[in-house]
Amino acid sequence: MQAFFHQSEFEQPHPARARAIIKAHPEVRQLMVRDPYTALIALSIVIMQTAITYGMGTLGFGYWWLSLLIAYCIGAFANHANYVIIHDATHNLIFRSKSWNKMVAILADLPNLTAGAMGFRVYHLKHHSHQGDFEWDADLANHWEARLVGNKWYRKALWLMFFPFFQLTRPPRIKAITMCDRWFLVNLACAAAYDVAVVYFCGWAGLFYLVLSFFFSIGLHPVGARWIQEHYTNDPEQETYSYYGPINLLCLNMGYHNEHHDLPSIPWNNLPKLRSLAPEFYDTLKYHSSWSRLLFQFIFDKRYSLYSRIERMKQRNDSSRALPHTIKDPMINGVALTATADRF
């Protein structure tokens, strides 16, 4: 197993590619709109998950197997779709007002049982502006975390299963962020009130269903492979990957990740249109066509570890930390426009 991240001296590829796309296809600006109907999707999912929770609470723990089945087949996709809505609200792509976007994110966060929406808003925006910079990007694993997990299949499986807990350990290392503010407290209060209401009206059996939905939505489930798909790589020349497969229909196009990073002002429903308008920029990039296959590949392929990521060294201007994995291949402003086409 490699002992460090793949290290790059180039800037992240997305800003330069975005400029090139806008220059070649100025009509993509028409895709940069807000979609208030996304809030209705969030509300519908919360109502659906709450209704299922009530039903499972009525049946009781004797039907734990049914909770497990429904959580895997329905709840995981529902909660994951709301993660996408939280993501779009973070980029203010639902309403013009930041406050309204934050309220939609808090609403979408309710079935997750934890107050994660406002914290995600803080560190995700840093991820965009400082992609691959260990001191700013909480999407990179901690060094102790990567060494603990290694490339053993059972450790990687456990890491995916308990991914939320590992994520909580990363923001403290990030520079100049404030996680606790008024909106975080509102998020926390709403999550606590919802959890208490679930236990009161639906019982612990109902809460059990939501816990299962939460863990499946980000862990050992096809949608959990999204965390691997986005930036994990065994090809140091490409650090961001898209997923083009049928689950995008249920996950609100979250697989279009190169497209999102290039132009984050485009909402989820217009990302496929971006790829259609600028095929010469995306058809030459590697991509994934199956989240399920990627999930098994990550777990059982020893080439994959938490160090299968790009760490950006140029921003820190610290040549003393250059390691054998440093990328020195010629690229156009750091954009891998010449990557060979491949399907995983």
Side-chain angles (χ1 to χ4, degrees):
M1 189 193 81
Q2 64 190 67
F4 303 96
F5 297 107
H6 300 293
Q7 297 187 333
S8 174
E9 296 178 351
F10 296 98
E11 299 290 344
Q12 62 163 299
H14 303 291
R17 185 158 58 227
R19 292 191 294 270
I21 290 172
I22 292 174
K23 182 178 180 180
H25 301 280
E27 64 272 20
V28 300
R29 294 183 182 275
Q30 298 175 13
L31 303 178
M32 301 176 188
V33 295
R34 292 179 174 86
D35 181 23
Y37 292 104
T38 302
L40 293 179
I41 298 175
L43 178 61
S44 300
I45 292 174
V46 171
I47 291 173
M48 181 188 74
Q49 281 291 79
T50 304
I52 295 175
T53 298
Y54 182 79
M56 297 315 303
T58 302
L59 291 174
F61 273 113
Y63 287 83
W64 64 267
W65 56 270
L66 185 59
S67 283
L68 184 69
L69 181 63
I70 296 176
Y72 193 88
C73 296
I74 298 176
F77 293 104
N79 277 30
H80 192 273
N82 265 3
Y83 275 123
V84 181
I85 293 172
I86 292 170
H87 173 267
D88 268 34
T90 294
H91 290 281
N92 300 316
L93 297 177
I94 301 175
F95 296 109
R96 184 177 298 275
S97 166
K98 287 185 179 180
S99 296
W100 279 95
N101 281 285
K102 290 177 180 179
M103 285 189 280
V104 172
I106 291 172
L107 169 68
D109 205 27
L110 292 178
N112 295 323
L113 300 177
T114 58
M118 293 301 100
F120 174 82
R121 184 181 181 94
V122 173
Y123 67 74
H124 180 71
L125 294 178
K126 293 292 184 184
H127 166 63
H128 272 268
S129 60
H130 296 82
Q131 181 179 313
D133 189 326
F134 184 79
E135 296 179 352
W136 292 87
D137 187 358
D139 201 53
L140 288 173
N142 296 303
H143 289 294
W144 66 263
E145 180 185 347
R147 291 169 185 145
L148 175 67
V149 174
N151 61 356
K152 300 293 186 182
W153 70 267
Y154 58 91
R155 292 187 181 182
K156 288 188 281 187
L158 288 172
W159 175 78
L160 272 175
M161 183 182 296
F162 297 107
F163 182 70
F165 299 108
F166 285 104
Q167 247 188 343
L168 287 174
T169 67
R170 300 177 187 176
R173 78 163 192 255
I174 306 304
K175 291 182 175 181
I177 63 170
T178 302
M179 299 293 291
C180 186
D181 59 8
R182 180 185 62 179
W183 280 104
F184 175 81
L185 295 176
V186 171
N187 191 182
L188 184 63
C190 290
Y194 183 82
D195 294 352
V196 170
V198 165
V199 173
Y200 183 81
F201 291 104
C202 308
W204 294 104
L207 185 72
F208 178 67
Y209 164 75
L210 284 180
V211 170
L212 290 175
S213 296
F214 169 72
F215 278 102
F216 282 142
S217 69
I218 53 178
L220 286 176
H221 188 280
V223 297
R226 165 199 156 192
W227 311 110
I228 311 305
Q229 164 246 309
E230 292 178 345
H231 298 292
Y232 280 80
T233 180
N234 284 319
D235 178 3
E237 289 191 11
Q238 184 173 330
E239 61 186 278
T240 304
Y241 289 75
S242 289
Y243 157 75
Y244 304 128
I247 303 181
N248 272 319
L249 296 174
L250 298 175
C251 295
L252 307 184
N253 296 324
M254 195 61 192
Y256 289 80
H257 206 61
N258 263 306
E259 293 82 351
H260 167 65
H261 266 271
D262 291 344
L263 294 169
S265 55
I266 295 179
W268 67 270
N269 54 313
N270 283 341
L271 291 175
K273 298 176 184 177
L274 170 60
R275 186 185 181 219
S276 297
L277 282 173
E280 69 273 24
F281 290 93
Y282 297 112
D283 288 350
T284 55
L285 296 176
K286 295 180 180 180
Y287 62 92
H288 296 284
S289 58
S290 172
W291 269 344
S292 300
R293 183 165 60 244
L294 177 61
L295 181 68
F296 284 100
Q297 184 180 7
F298 172 77
I299 292 175
F300 294 106
D301 189 337
K302 289 191 174 183
R303 293 175 299 172
Y304 271 110
S305 73
L306 303 195
Y307 277 130
S308 301
R309 296 287 301 264
I310 302 295
E311 182 182 12
R312 184 145 284 102
M313 308 305 294
K314 187 175 182 180
Q315 293 183 10
R316 281 189 256 167
N317 194 25
D318 184 2
S319 59
S320 64
R321 290 196 56 184
L323 294 168
H325 297 287
T326 300
I327 302 166
K328 297 182 181 294
D329 297 332
M331 301 169 71
I332 302 173
N333 291 328
V335 184
L337 296 178
T338 58
T340 56
D342 195 1
R343 291 183 63 177
F344 287 87

